[in-house]
Amino acid sequence: MELQSFDNVVVWAILILALFVYYKLSLFIVVLRSQGSSAQDQQWIETLRCLINALPLLGLLGTIMGLLQSFFAMSQGGSLSASSVLTQGIANALWTTQLGLVLAVPAWLLLSYFNNLLVKESLANAR
């Protein structure tokens, strides 16, 4: 992907949100495996789930923005520059959708792993 694909504000929003989510998840997993869980860990689960769910929705927002850019180019006529804007809009739409999904799916898996660690720890503490 070209560097110009990173000039989209939605792409940056997805990347920043994913960086925060992965940071928090990896921090919680490391702390849980070394020190055990705290009440704060439990409180973050729903927040992280909500933030992870926002990743593909931001990708969808980027898709809509890219398609709107493409439809605007089609409404301007059939010149060569309009054709370039049309293809760039479609490329942006696909890029943001892909980015949102590619970053959300592993985050969901990590969150599931974190939840399983919490359940195992709570069962061990109950014994």
Side-chain angles (χ1 to χ4, degrees), residues 9 11 36 40 42-45 49 57 65-66 69-70 81 86 89 91 97 105 111 116 120-121 125 127:
V9 69
V11 169
Q40 183 184 12
Q42 299 284 344
Q43 294 171 350
W44 269 98
I45 289 177
R49 185 174 287 123
L57 293 175
M65 289 173 61
Q69 181 183 6
S70 298
S81 64
L86 174 69
T97 304
V105 171
L111 184 63
N116 287 337
K120 286 179 183 178
E121 184 190 10
N125 289 340
R127 291 181 187 172

Side-chain angles (χ1 to χ4, degrees), residues 51-122:
L51 294 176
I52 293 168
N53 289 339
L55 288 171
L57 293 175
L58 284 170
L60 182 61
L61 175 63
T63 301
I64 292 168
M65 289 173 61
L67 291 176
L68 285 173
Q69 181 183 6
S70 298
F71 288 135
F72 178 76
M74 287 189 320
S75 72
Q76 297 301 310
S79 69
L80 185 57
S81 64
S83 174
S84 174
V85 173
L86 174 69
T87 57
Q88 185 63 38
I90 293 171
N92 282 340
L94 294 174
W95 165 239
T96 56
T97 304
Q98 177 187 8
L99 186 64
L101 289 172
V102 162
L103 292 174
V105 171
W108 280 320
L109 295 174
L110 274 175
L111 184 63
S112 176
Y113 175 70
F114 178 62
N115 283 331
N116 287 337
L117 286 177
L118 284 174
V119 168
K120 286 179 183 178
E121 184 190 10
S122 65

Side-chain angles (χ1 to χ4, degrees), residues 21-33:
V21 165
Y22 281 106
Y23 167 75
K24 282 303 221 184
L25 276 173
S26 58
L27 179 70
F28 286 144
I29 289 171
V30 168
V31 168
L32 179 65
R33 295 194 47 94

